[in-house]
Amino acid sequence: MKLESLCAWEIGELVNSKQISPTQVVTYFLDRIEKINKKVNAFVYVKADYALEKARELEERLSRGEYCGEFAGVPFGLKDFLPNKKGWQSSHGGVACLVATDQGNSVFCEAMEKAGGIAIGKTNAPAYGFRGTTDNLMYGPTSTPFNPKYNSGGSSGGSAAAVSAGLVPISEGGDAGGSIRIPAGFCNLFGFKAGVGTIPSVCRPDAWSATHPLCFNGALTKCVKDAAILLNYMSYEDVRDPFSLPKKHNFAKEFEINPWSARQSDSSNQHAPQSLSLQGLTLQNRPLQGISPQSLTLQDRPPKETATQKYQPLKIAFTQDFGIFEVEDQVRATVQKAARRFSDLGCIVEEYKFDFKQTAFEIASQWCKGITIDCALELNHLKEEGIDLLGDHSKDFPEEFIYWKSIVDRLGIEDLYRFNLTRTEILDQFEKAFADYDLIISPVSCIAAIENRNDKNTKGPDFINGKKVEPLIGWTQTFLANFPGYPAASIPAGFSKEGVPIGLQLIAPRHEDLRLLQAARLYEEAFDWKKFYPDL
């Protein structure tokens, strides 16, 4: 049995049924990390003794007949960025002068441990998570397991490479502009970013510090089911987060329901199945297939009179570029093929034209300003206390961070006003689309692959198709969803000529996390991307 080919929930079932012991599972993955990690540079350190101790504790519980959770015995990685495991060490993404002991646990860590998971080590990330690639001055670049010449994406690139390479079945991510979705795209994973309010984000001393743009804790997984189970643990109301909402779904059960083929509509429904035209290609929609009746509640199941059944299919707005991004031709072709998979499933997929007044470069620059604010405040407050990290340890920081901090330090009230105008335009553009569509789909990245540099400062391109782009995040299409806080995900679309995976982005309306998971589940049934992982 190759444990690395299994999803986290499958390993949990084997452990709970005592077909394999937690110690065997942990030992197996520790051995893989020892043999393979050097090829991709996913883990920056591993806590083998700790993981084995926790595995033995779990075995004692199992011997007493306890059920130990859906992820029983599953080793997981933690992102070496913000504090996320009390007593462990973090480096803020490879910034030597910021290395410190974690004072608390992340929501992800607590959720995984409640589900029976076992923390095994920390994964690589860029400084402050401040780019869509993974590289830093302490640990160097992380590669996609599909072609080690190319970057894994970021900022949760260490976690993505770890899961894709089979070093752990699930690993932590954080997403403030695509940091879960970008590496998921480059590593053939499902990368889910929850919407605002679904997962609490407790920040102090400033409770609103994770909101410009909105930042989210989450995970990189091989399958949708793992993400749904995890969300069931991570989703709860925490009054310390001003945006936190009460939990309203059992994501672990409801994500398998197909509400579109089961839902009736009247004869006047404007969303009735119709043909799809994508740049000259016409396909006839069909009712969705492959959903088990056992996965539906009684009220959701279709009536017996199927001859008169009318379907209200999922209606999807498809865009290649949001009207503002430059996109490589091979990305366009691969993502268009992925969009047709939704059409084959009976969904209505229509090209949609956005009408942004600002350019992609302008919006990306606003993102860089917003994401730098809290980092700059932290350093400035330390300086007021006599600790001048940027002055005394400037070589520990990438030049791009120093540049954007200098910009942020000079911001005035008009600059903050313009930041919110950008956020408002994005909100209005998306809400206009969501008035007529259930989901928006687009490429995750505008480019197919990013070659690792040898200077420990890998970033994206300065130009695409001869047009200037912002190199830290502006070559992606993910950061738009973080300004208003929509649920979003990356699902595998196919492969580039470089052999690097390409991701398809799904974006759902506010508070419709379940809808996104259900749509991803339908796609997963039609395109099983798990069979494509490399044998390392």
Side-chain angles (χ1 to χ4, degrees):
M1 180 190 304
K2 291 187 175 182
L3 293 181
E4 69 272 17
S5 67
L6 301 180
C7 294
W9 71 268
E10 294 173 312
I11 294 175
E13 285 194 348
L14 292 175
V15 169
N16 278 305
S17 62
K18 299 182 181 178
Q19 297 181 62
I20 191 170
S21 73
T23 299
Q24 287 175 308
V25 173
V26 169
T27 300
Y28 184 92
F29 283 103
L30 284 172
D31 183 59
R32 283 188 62 81
I33 293 172
E34 177 67 24
K35 293 178 180 177
I36 296 173
N37 187 57
K38 58 181 176 292
K39 297 181 180 180
V40 293
N41 192 32
F43 277 94
V44 297
Y45 70 83
V46 175
K47 293 277 192 177
D49 291 343
Y50 172 89
L52 289 169
E53 178 185 353
K54 292 299 177 182
R56 288 189 289 269
E57 291 177 5
L58 205 61
E59 287 172 8
E60 292 181 8
R61 292 175 55 194
L62 290 164
S63 69
R64 297 193 294 267
E66 291 185 37
Y67 174 75
C68 292
E70 293 93 329
F71 296 148
V74 172
F76 63 88
L78 292 163
K79 184 178 179 181
D80 182 38
F81 174 42
L82 297 175
N84 49 25
K85 177 65 174 169
K86 189 173 183 179
W88 287 27
Q89 176 182 292
S90 290
S91 72
H92 271 64
V95 183
C97 65
L98 294 176
V99 172
T101 300
D102 296 351
Q103 299 302 308
N105 299 330
S106 64
V107 178
F108 168 84
C109 183
E110 291 185 349
M112 284 299 301
E113 290 179 342
K114 286 180 181 178
I118 298 172
I120 201 169
K122 292 282 187 91
T123 60
N124 203 17
Y128 282 109
F130 186 38
R131 62 183 66 198
T133 53
T134 295
D135 198 353
N136 61 58
L137 298 173
M138 281 183 68
Y139 303 115
T142 296
S143 300
T144 173
F146 290 86
N147 188 338
K149 179 180 178 181
Y150 295 96
N151 201 264
S152 63
S155 63
S156 308
S159 285
V163 176
S164 183
L167 308 185
V168 286
I170 187 170
S171 194
E172 183 178 36
D175 194 311
S179 289
I180 289 174
R181 289 161 287 158
I182 298 165
F186 284 135
C187 292
N188 201 59
L189 299 173
F190 181 62
F192 173 74
K193 178 194 78 65
V196 61
T198 302
I199 296 172
S201 181
V202 179
C203 302
R204 290 299 182 274
D206 179 3
W208 278 264
S209 59
T211 64
H212 45 271
L214 289 152
C215 307
F216 304 87
N217 199 203
L220 283 301
T221 65
K222 283 188 174 179
C223 63
V224 179
K225 185 170 183 175
D226 280 352
I229 292 171
L230 178 65
L231 186 60
N232 222 35
Y233 282 90
M234 293 183 72
S235 177
Y236 59 89
E237 184 176 21
D238 191 321
V239 295
R240 297 171 296 172
D241 175 1
F243 292 101
S244 180
L245 298 171
K247 182 178 179 178
K248 64 177 183 178
H249 293 292
N250 184 332
F251 295 101
K253 292 183 178 179
E254 295 179 63
F255 90 100
E256 291 185 308
I257 296 173
N258 171 9
W260 300 288
S261 68
R263 194 168 63 204
Q264 284 189 307
S265 59
D266 59 44
S267 59
S268 64
N269 180 8
Q270 61 176 332
H271 293 174
Q274 52 188 269
S275 63
L276 159 71
S277 179
L278 282 179
Q279 297 183 1
L281 177 65
T282 301
L283 298 169
Q284 186 64 37
N285 289 296
R286 297 186 293 275
L288 293 164
Q289 304 293 327
I291 302 299
S292 168
Q294 287 74 27
S295 69
L296 305 177
T297 62
L298 289 176
Q299 62 266 33
D300 286 324
R301 291 177 185 172
K304 292 182 179 180
E305 296 79 20
T306 55
T308 59
Q309 172 81 10
K310 292 186 177 66
Y311 293 101
Q312 186 173 354
L314 184 69
K315 193 175 184 188
I316 298 173
F318 173 56
T319 178
Q320 288 276 18
D321 53 19
F322 288 96
I324 56 175
F325 291 101
E326 290 294 325
V327 183
E328 288 182 348
D329 288 343
Q330 64 169 322
V331 174
R332 286 183 178 273
T334 302
V335 170
Q336 183 168 306
K337 183 178 179 181
R340 289 200 293 268
R341 294 189 184 109
F342 276 109
S343 178
D344 289 341
L345 288 166
C347 305
I348 297 173
V349 183
E350 298 175 342
E351 287 196 82
Y352 183 85
K353 301 297 183 183
F354 286 84
D355 186 28
F356 283 98
K357 304 305 180 187
Q358 298 185 69
T359 67
F361 191 92
E362 290 170 335
I363 298 174
S365 297
Q366 291 288 15
W367 181 88
C368 290
K369 293 175 186 176
I371 206 68
T372 308
I373 289 174
D374 289 296
C375 308
L377 284 170
E378 179 184 25
L379 293 174
N380 290 345
H381 293 164
L382 285 172
K383 186 175 180 180
E384 291 172 359
E385 298 171 8
I387 305 172
D388 187 3
L389 291 180
L390 204 56
D392 297 336
H393 303 277
S394 61
K395 292 183 179 180
D396 291 350
F397 297 84
E399 58 184 341
E400 292 79 15
F401 174 78
I402 295 173
Y403 168 79
W404 281 108
K405 183 184 180 299
S406 70
I407 297 292
V408 167
D409 283 340
R410 299 193 300 269
L411 292 181
I413 57 175
E414 286 295 326
D415 297 294
L416 298 178
Y417 174 63
R418 283 190 287 272
F419 177 85
N420 281 333
L421 289 182
T422 298
R423 173 176 263 176
T424 302
E425 181 183 13
I426 295 169
L427 174 69
D428 290 346
Q429 284 289 314
F430 274 80
E431 288 303 317
K432 183 179 179 181
F434 285 134
D436 295 316
Y437 294 92
D438 299 307
L439 289 177
I440 297 168
I441 62 175
S442 77
V444 168
S445 170
C446 301
I447 57 177
I450 296 175
E451 189 170 349
N452 286 322
R453 290 167 43 162
N454 59 11
D455 62 354
K456 297 187 175 181
N457 193 32
T458 303
K459 53 183 183 290
D462 293 301
F463 295 90
I464 300 176
N465 299 333
K467 302 290 182 63
K468 185 173 177 57
V469 298
E470 194 288 313
L472 294 179
I473 196 75
W475 44 272
T476 78
Q477 299 186 23
T478 53
F479 59 95
L480 295 178
N482 290 79
F483 281 96
Y486 293 115
S490 174
I491 54 178
F495 291 85
S496 69
K497 66 179 185 295
E498 296 87 357
V500 176
I502 293 173
L504 177 71
Q505 179 175 219
L506 278 62
I507 305 173
R510 284 178 295 176
H511 315 314
E512 294 292 348
D513 303 71
L514 179 61
R515 180 189 302 179
L516 192 152
L517 290 171
Q518 290 169 333
R521 168 68 171 169
L522 296 179
Y523 181 95
E524 183 182 30
E525 290 187 335
F527 179 61
D528 183 13
W529 57 77
K530 294 184 292 297
K531 62 186 178 183
F532 296 120
Y533 290 108
D535 185 2
L536 298 177

